[in-house]
């Protein structure tokens, strides 16, 4: 069952009923000011950091699930009837409803009682504000006298404190209302130099800034007393809950349309110019006024919207494919790339499943996110790499997370996630391959954000590598630490105390439990580092990295191979995890994908054997589950993984993030058909028709789909902010379609289903545009041996990078098997 459809020409997903199985959301803003917006206007906004600079309040886990947002009300002043044009919060039956989620904007349109309304929400590029462009049309035969009310609830900035510290917060709220603009200035009187404002382009009939005056006692947003009575109270919030509501009266002739623009923004003043006059407590509005004025003007709003559309057209234009499969085209050309922007910006901080207060930017997560983002805005990828690097510890380890506002490592979580350092090498190598910006390796970056500790980025990478060598366990495999990629495989935790964090509790000295997964990752990273070193002329370094990678490969083959698949780990007792001798959790997905990606087992058939086991034991029609058999009970020596009921999350859920590792492994063994099949199973567009089972948005990947042990097998959860975004994008573009960025140029190595007759990719790369036509007349799955470049044949399948030229480079690639 579908709840909408894709409009690929407009790059939009169109939802045609408000009651989707779950809120289907979108993101506004892609630089510094962000908003989450659901298909019924729900969500919230923040500046840079969802925890520390929250502009509007949102109540998670509410019933209904999604409640609180950018709400508007229309009231028919002749009858007193009122409704919300985005359906929520009044949930009045609408004659027509349509939500279009696009690239950085959402348009919600509806008709109710023959009054048509449409609101376009977006954040103009380069600004710290959002616009709600509202249009209302009278489709009646008679004139209509309407009231329009806006409504938002301000958050008192720190979302964590806002949701807990009521004894203080109920007394701190402050606002100003001047010329119809509502300024939220809680704590501006003391240490904050920022405020929020909510402005409206039209003359006001009134306003409200005290939530409970607007709503009325014992009422909620579905029935505010101000709307019901058709009059605002001009309330000024003193403490309690600052709120923003404008009231505009609109009279419309039959067929007439009127437009109202609302602007919600964030603004900072220099600390010595906070007040005007200086000795007052009144906000200095000199600097914000021009910005506000600009976006209250309809023409500027239209121009800003067009600019946003062009911006995305250009970004997405970097990689465009025309393949025989619509789900590939749509995800690669539009939605998956778009989701990669969201994961780059948010990491795992703010979605409808991530509260924005829980996590900062993860070290491993953000490094992996680069894989799907680096080609879009390389300069931002560069900045991110340097920020992440600065949170690396002298030991080569890393703070597991950092707060985006302060860019400092998060001490609450600390470090000792022993996979973390290697992801930096993977992230940097992706950046180098895309950009050829070798200079980044010489950038001096701090350790632990400490002044004076600066070392070239290359030295950081070297320490990442070294980190593992200094932490090897009894079998010579890397010690796992608190956890590796799988946050929930906690082999040193041994927690029996309810509520203890599995990630930060350590009851063992950590000298025994080892990870085969990290061993694979170490090899993958070491091989990249060797190429990087060789390119810098550091042959001795390069040789050493390769020698250590070889050594580790031998260790894996000796202690990490279980006969038909790779072992997952060794526990604190030195017993294997993910082995046929285990009662549960005999086979895990992660080491199969990672070891093969690192090249282990490619020559001796072990890779194929492991992939056959994955197919036999882990693959389901909804994707590949994380392990089997699922853990049926809590195992103190395994930790959080066994805390989940079977089939969910890391306990045998389809943890989509690592499905692409298997897909890449399949392409590496030349199995285009199976690689593509696996890709399609988790591709949300290909799952659109089973919306009642999948339930999450059909335009973005979710972190998890319930595995075969769960009663809700096939149900997605935790959409948007997942490493799946970058990995599936990277896999589809670089391994299936096989147009792959390498240090020296672009590799053409498609591995596709035999039935595909070919496809075309347009790819911008280091200043050139390549138009690549892949032909597959002999129904092969792989095998480009020669290329025609601008009509001339070259040997091999690598296009060396070349100086930028103005016309496109035309490439023909023939699959010969
Ligand atoms: C979440 C975390 C990520 C981790 C994964 C598996 O997605 O953000 O860091 O690797 O879960 O546990
Ligand atoms: C991973 C898991 C998640 C858990 C987190 C920290 O991200 O997916 O379930 O909350 O690790 O424990």
């Amino acid at each position: 069952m579908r709840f909408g459809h894709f409009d690929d020409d407009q790059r939009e997903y169109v939802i045609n009923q408000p009651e989707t199985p779950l809120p289907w959301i979108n993101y506004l803003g892609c630089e510094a000011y962000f908003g989450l917006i659901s298909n019924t206007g729900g969500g919230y906004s923040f500046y840079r950091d969802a925890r520390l600079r929250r502009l509007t309040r949102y109540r998670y886990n509410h019933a209904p699930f999604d409640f609180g947002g950018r709400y508007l009300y229309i009231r028919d002043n002749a009858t007193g009837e009122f409704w919300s044009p985005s359906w929520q919060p009044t949930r009045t039956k609408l004659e027509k409803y349509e939500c279009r989620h696009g690239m950085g904007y959402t348009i919600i349109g509806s008709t109710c009682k023959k009054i048509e309304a449409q609101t376009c929400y977006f954040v103009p590029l380069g600004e710290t504000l959002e616009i709600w462009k509202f249009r209302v049309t009278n489709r009646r035969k008679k004139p209509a006298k309407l009231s329009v009310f806006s409504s938002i609830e301000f958050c008192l900035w720190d979302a964590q404190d806002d949701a807990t510290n009521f004894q203080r917060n109920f007394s701190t709220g402050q606002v100003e209302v001047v010329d119809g603009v509502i300024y939220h200035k809680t704590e501006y009187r003391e240490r904050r130099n920022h405020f929020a404002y909510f402005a409206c382009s039209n003359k006001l009939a009134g306003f409200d800034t005290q939530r409970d005056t607007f709503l009325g006692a014992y009422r909620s947003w579905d029935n505010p007393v101000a709307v019901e009575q058709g009059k605002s109270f001009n309330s000024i919030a003193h403490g309690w809950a600052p709120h923003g509501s404008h009231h505009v009266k609109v009279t419309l002739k039959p067929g007439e349309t009127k437009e109202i623009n609302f602007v919600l923004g964030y603004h900072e003043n220099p600390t010595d110019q906070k007040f005007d006059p200086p000795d007052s407590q009144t906000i200095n509005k000199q600097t914000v006024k021009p910005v506000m004025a600009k976006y209250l003007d309809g023409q500027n709003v239209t121009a800003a919207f067009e600019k946003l559309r062009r911006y995305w057209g250009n970004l997405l234009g970097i990689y465009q494919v025309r393949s025989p499969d619509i789900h590939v085209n749509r995800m690669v050309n539009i939605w998956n790339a778009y989701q990669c922007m969201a994961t780059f910006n948010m990491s795992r901080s703010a979605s409808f499943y991530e509260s924005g207060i829980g996590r900062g930017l993860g070290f491993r997560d953000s490094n992996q996110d680069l894989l799907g983002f680096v080609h879009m805005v390389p300069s931002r990828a560069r900045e991110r790499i340097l920020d992440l690097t600065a949170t690396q510890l002298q030991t080569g380890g890393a703070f597991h997370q950092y707060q985006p506002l302060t860019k400092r490592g998060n001490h609450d979580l600390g470090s000792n996630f022993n996979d973390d350092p290697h992801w930096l090498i993977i992230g940097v190598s992706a950046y180098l391959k895309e950009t050829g910006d070798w200079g980044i390796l010489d950038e001096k970056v701090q350790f632990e954000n400490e002044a004076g500790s600066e070392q070239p980025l290359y030295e950081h990478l070297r320490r990442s590598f070294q980190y593992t060598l200094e932490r090897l366990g009894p079998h010579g495999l890397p010690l796992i630490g608190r956890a590796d990629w799988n946050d929930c495989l906690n082999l040193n935790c041994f927690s029996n105390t309810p509520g203890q964090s599995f990630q930060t509790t350590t009851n063992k000295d950590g000298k025994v439990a080892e990870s085969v997964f990290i061993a694979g990752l170490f090899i993958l990273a070491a091989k990249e580092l060797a190429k990087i070193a060789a390119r810098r002329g550091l042959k001795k370094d390069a040789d050493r990295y390769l020698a250590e990678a070889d050594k580790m490969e031998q260790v894996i083959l000796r202690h990490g191979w279980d006969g038909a698949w790779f072992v997952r780990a060794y526990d604190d007792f030195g017993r294997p995890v993910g082995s046929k001798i285990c009662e549960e959790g005999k086979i895990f997905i992660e080491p199969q994908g990672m070891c093969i990606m690192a090249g282990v087992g490619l020559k001796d058939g072990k890779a194929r054997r492991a992939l056959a086991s994955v197919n036999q034991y882990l693959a389901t029609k909804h994707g590949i589950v994380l392990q089997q058999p699922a853990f049926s009970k809590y195992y103190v020596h395994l930790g959080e993984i066994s805390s989940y009921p079977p089939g969910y999350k890391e306990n045998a859920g389809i943890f989509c993030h690592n499905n692409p590792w298997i897909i890449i492994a399949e392409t590496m063994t030349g199995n285009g058909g199976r690689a593509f099949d696996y890709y399609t199973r988790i591709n949300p567009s290909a799952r659109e028709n089973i919306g009642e089972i999948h339930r999450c948005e059909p335009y973005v990947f979710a972190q998890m789909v319930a595995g075969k042990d769960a009663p809700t097998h096939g149900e997605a959860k935790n959409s948007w902010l997942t490493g799946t975004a970058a990995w599936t994008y990277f896999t589809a573009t670089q391994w299936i379609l096989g147009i792959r960025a390498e240090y020296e140029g672009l590799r053409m190595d498609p591995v596709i289903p035999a039935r595909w007759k070919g496809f075309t990719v347009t790819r911008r790369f280091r200043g050139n545009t390549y138009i690549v036509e892949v032909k597959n007349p002999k129904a092969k799955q792989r095998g480009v041996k020669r290329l025609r470049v601008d009509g001339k044949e070259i040997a091999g399948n690598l296009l060396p990078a070349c100086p930028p030229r103005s016309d496109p480079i035309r490439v023909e690639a023939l699959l010969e098997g």
Side-chain angles (χ1 to χ4, degrees):
M1 185 180 166
R2 295 184 187 209
F3 299 85
H5 63 269
F6 286 91
D7 182 344
D8 293 336
D9 290 341
Q10 293 300 319
R11 303 194 200 100
E12 290 173 342
Y13 190 80
V14 187
I15 302 166
N16 52 29
Q17 59 193 89
E19 289 165 278
T20 44
L22 289 163
W24 286 4
I25 75 159
N26 192 13
Y27 284 88
L28 310 175
C30 51
E31 296 158 328
Y33 182 102
F34 299 103
L36 288 72
I37 183 163
S38 73
N39 56 311
T40 58
Y44 61 92
S45 301
F46 58 93
Y47 173 74
R48 287 195 192 276
D49 189 315
R51 169 164 177 181
L52 299 176
R53 287 292 150 86
R54 186 83 65 101
L55 264 79
T56 57
R57 187 172 285 155
Y58 191 74
R59 289 176 183 75
Y60 276 90
N61 202 2
H62 195 274
F65 190 103
D66 174 27
F67 203 68
R70 301 169 185 81
Y71 290 148
L72 291 168
Y73 302 84
I74 300 176
R75 181 179 192 271
D76 187 335
N77 288 334
T79 62
E81 291 171 309
F82 64 91
W83 64 93
S84 312
S86 63
W87 191 62
Q88 280 259 62
T90 66
R91 297 189 292 280
T92 313
K93 194 167 168 24
L94 301 168
E95 284 135 36
K96 257 210 238 143
Y97 161 91
E98 185 182 270
C99 168
R100 289 181 168 263
H101 284 317
M103 304 288 106
Y105 65 88
T106 287
I107 302 172
I108 305 179
S110 66
T111 307
C112 187
K113 306 185 201 311
K114 298 215 166 118
I115 300 297
E116 192 180 295
Q118 191 193 64
T119 318
C120 173
Y121 303 89
F122 72 101
V123 176
L125 290 167
E127 303 290 3
T128 58
L129 56 89
E130 67 186 61
I131 293 172
W132 314 357
K133 180 180 146 114
F134 175 74
R135 287 161 59 87
V136 56
T137 306
N138 179 10
R139 296 285 173 215
R140 299 173 181 169
K141 297 217 165 60
K142 287 191 205 149
K145 282 188 187 259
L146 308 172
S147 277
V148 175
F149 292 87
S150 62
S151 164
I152 50 151
E153 190 185 10
F154 291 108
C155 178
L156 308 187
W157 303 114
D158 180 334
Q160 165 81 35
D161 185 76
D162 181 74
T164 46
N165 194 7
F166 303 110
Q167 59 79 26
R168 169 179 159 87
N169 295 342
F170 284 163
S171 295
T172 56
Q174 287 194 302
V175 298
E176 277 177 37
V177 182
V178 182
D179 298 333
V181 181
I182 295 164
Y183 296 87
H184 173 230
K185 62 168 195 177
T186 302
E187 292 187 349
Y188 190 74
R189 66 200 309 282
E190 27 126 348
R191 290 156 298 177
R192 294 188 186 275
N193 67 333
H194 45 266
F195 57 88
Y197 57 93
F198 190 31
C200 169
S201 60
N202 293 41
K203 190 170 154 280
L204 300 190
F207 62 85
D208 274 297
T209 70
Q210 183 64 284
R211 182 189 70 200
D212 293 345
T213 308
F214 175 75
L215 297 179
Y218 292 95
R219 287 169 179 246
S220 182
W221 279 273
D222 53 359
N223 189 25
V225 71
V227 180
E228 187 181 276
Q229 296 181 4
K231 67 166 209 285
S232 296
F233 300 95
N234 297 346
S235 57
I236 296 290
H238 299 283
W240 296 114
H243 183 263
S245 173
H246 308 98
H247 176 196
V248 178
K249 287 197 169 159
V250 187
T251 304
L252 293 170
K253 292 186 241 141
E256 194 185 5
T257 300
K258 281 198 179 151
E259 200 172 294
I260 308 174
N261 289 310
F262 297 93
V263 176
L264 171 65
Y266 168 90
H267 196 78
E268 285 175 6
N269 272 335
T271 32
D272 56 347
Q273 292 164 40
K274 277 168 61 170
F275 302 108
D276 181 20
D279 57 356
S280 74
Q281 288 291 302
T282 311
I283 297 175
N284 171 5
K285 305 178 183 72
Q286 300 311 324
T287 52
V288 76
K289 273 187 174 164
V291 190
M292 214 184 305
K294 178 170 177 192
Y295 293 105
L296 289 173
D297 178 297
Q299 274 181 353
N300 293 335
V301 169
T302 307
F305 185 69
E306 288 312 317
K307 196 167 155 197
L308 181 67
R309 298 263 296 179
R310 283 197 302 277
Y311 173 79
W312 272 105
N314 183 45
L315 277 191
L316 298 178
I318 298 170
Y319 195 121
Q320 287 287 302
V321 59
R322 259 188 300 139
S323 85
D325 188 274
I326 187 163
H327 307 299
V328 170
N329 297 351
R330 157 183 302 156
M331 290 316 285
V332 166
N333 295 342
I334 308 169
W335 288 99
N336 198 357
Y338 181 64
Q339 186 179 1
C340 286
M341 173 67 94
T343 56
F344 175 82
N345 282 323
M346 304 287 138
S347 190
R348 309 296 172 263
S349 71
S351 74
F352 268 35
Y353 308 87
E354 299 280 8
S355 64
I357 58 182
R359 309 204 217 180
L361 267 70
F363 193 87
R364 77 158 82 89
D365 292 341
S366 290
N367 272 304
Q368 291 172 79
D369 291 345
L370 291 169
L371 295 175
F373 177 79
V374 66
H375 67 291
M376 278 199 263
V377 194
S379 59
R380 293 187 67 199
R382 188 181 210 275
E383 184 190 351
R384 175 65 53 80
I385 286 171
L386 299 177
D387 288 347
L388 284 165
T389 306
T391 66
Q392 187 177 34
L393 309 178
Q394 294 276 5
T395 59
F399 277 112
H400 195 51
Q401 290 173 4
Y402 78 90
Q403 282 309 124
L405 198 68
T406 59
K407 296 190 173 180
R408 291 190 158 256
N410 184 338
H411 281 272
D412 300 346
L413 260 176
S415 70
N416 291 338
F417 293 80
N418 284 350
D419 63 319
D420 269 341
H422 298 298
W423 294 114
L424 180 65
I425 301 178
I426 303 295
V428 171
S429 77
Y431 174 79
L432 291 172
K433 288 172 180 175
E434 181 65 32
T435 60
D437 170 19
W438 292 89
I440 193 174
L441 295 170
D442 298 313
E443 287 282 348
K444 295 251 170 75
V445 196
Q446 295 173 349
F447 283 96
E448 303 176 37
N449 307 107
E450 268 166 28
S453 64
E454 291 80 0
Q455 291 284 335
L457 174 59
Y458 176 76
E459 170 61 15
H460 284 263
L461 302 185
R462 202 192 58 76
R463 288 205 203 172
S464 288
F465 167 83
Q466 200 58 30
Y467 179 86
T468 288
L469 291 184
E470 287 164 12
R471 286 166 185 76
L472 296 177
H475 298 92
L477 291 161
L479 292 171
I480 197 167
R482 295 187 197 276
D484 61 22
W485 172 87
N486 189 331
D487 271 333
C488 298
L489 190 62
N490 316 116
L491 303 182
N492 293 304
C493 178
F494 285 78
S495 170
N496 272 317
T497 308
Q500 249 178 2
S501 158
F502 287 103
Q503 276 76 43
T504 54
T505 306
T506 307
N507 284 313
K508 297 287 166 178
D509 64 7
K511 300 256 162 56
V512 180
E514 300 166 295
S515 165
V516 177
F517 171 83
I518 300 181
L521 178 60
F522 171 83
I523 297 173
L524 185 70
K527 287 181 175 173
E528 294 300 344
L529 195 54
K531 288 184 199 150
I532 292 170
R535 172 80 192 222
R536 280 172 80 78
L538 302 171
K539 182 158 182 321
K540 257 174 63 197
D541 281 14
D543 290 346
R544 192 168 80 86
Y545 301 143
L546 288 180
E548 294 294 349
D550 278 351
K551 235 165 83 196
M552 190 65 81
E553 180 164 352
Q554 293 316 312
V555 177
I556 293 181
L557 294 175
R558 201 165 328 122
H559 301 291
W561 179 252
D562 201 52
W565 57 78
F566 292 100
V567 176
R568 176 64 177 86
Y570 283 90
D571 66 18
D572 183 62
F573 306 102
R575 301 174 310 202
V577 176
S579 153
K580 57 181 180 293
I581 70 164
C582 303
E583 216 166 284
E584 299 187 320
K586 290 173 189 287
I587 170 170
F588 280 65
I589 191 172
E590 306 102 307
Q592 321 313 324
M594 189 48 77
C595 290
I596 299 172
M597 286 199 293
V600 184
L602 278 178
K603 288 197 194 99
D604 61 8
K606 288 195 172 65
R608 276 179 192 275
R609 186 71 197 84
L611 289 171
S613 299
V614 168
N615 189 256
Q616 186 177 353
Y617 300 111
L618 301 181
T620 78
K621 65 177 178 191
H622 295 294
I624 309 168
V625 299
L626 196 143
Q627 101 277 12
Q628 279 292 297
F631 297 113
S632 60
K633 54 179 193 261
Y634 177 57
Y635 293 94
V636 71
H637 67 288
L638 298 179
E640 186 171 359
I641 190 166
S642 59
S643 75
Y644 288 111
Y648 293 109
K649 298 281 283 186
E650 283 86 341
N651 187 11
I654 296 156
F655 212 93
C656 300
H657 186 140
N658 49 36
N659 278 222
W661 302 345
I662 297 298
I663 300 170
I664 293 176
E666 290 287 358
T667 66
M668 291 175 79
T669 59
N671 200 344
R674 201 193 263 163
F676 187 71
D677 178 16
Y678 285 157
Y679 171 75
T680 305
R681 294 186 203 194
I682 59 165
N683 183 326
S685 163
R687 299 172 62 77
E688 189 192 17
N689 281 334
I690 52 164
E692 77 288 3
I693 297 172
H694 184 77
R695 300 185 78 232
C696 274
E697 297 92 330
Y699 42 90
V700 289
F701 289 89
Q703 182 202 53
M704 197 245 341
V705 172
K708 58 185 174 185
D709 302 285
T712 57
H713 185 33
E715 180 189 42
K717 250 181 226 164
N718 203 358
S719 56
W720 280 96
L721 301 186
T722 160
T724 316
W727 276 105
T728 47
Y729 184 83
F730 175 71
T731 300
T733 55
Q734 306 215 25
W735 291 91
I736 295 176
L737 300 171
I739 315 292
R740 185 153 68 244
E742 293 191 354
Y743 299 105
E744 311 303 334
L746 268 188
R747 178 82 57 192
M748 308 283 139
D749 188 17
V751 187
I752 56 175
R755 64 175 185 279
W756 278 24
K757 300 256 178 294
F759 63 90
T760 310
V761 167
T762 306
R763 171 73 155 98
R764 296 210 299 271
F765 178 71
R766 301 197 201 169
N768 278 310
T769 300
Y770 295 81
I771 302 177
V772 183
E773 218 179 302
V774 176
K775 292 186 180 153
N776 186 24
K778 294 187 200 148
K780 301 288 179 196
Q781 300 187 59
R782 177 183 213 174
V784 172
K785 308 255 163 58
R786 282 161 298 166
L787 296 172
R788 270 169 175 276
V789 184
D790 292 324
K792 267 193 243 135
E793 204 158 280
I794 64 165
N797 64 357
L798 180 78
L799 285 172
C802 58
R805 64 183 223 200
S806 57
D807 53 329
I809 300 172
R810 295 187 180 272
V811 184
E812 270 176 69
L814 189 67
L815 259 65
E816 297 165 301

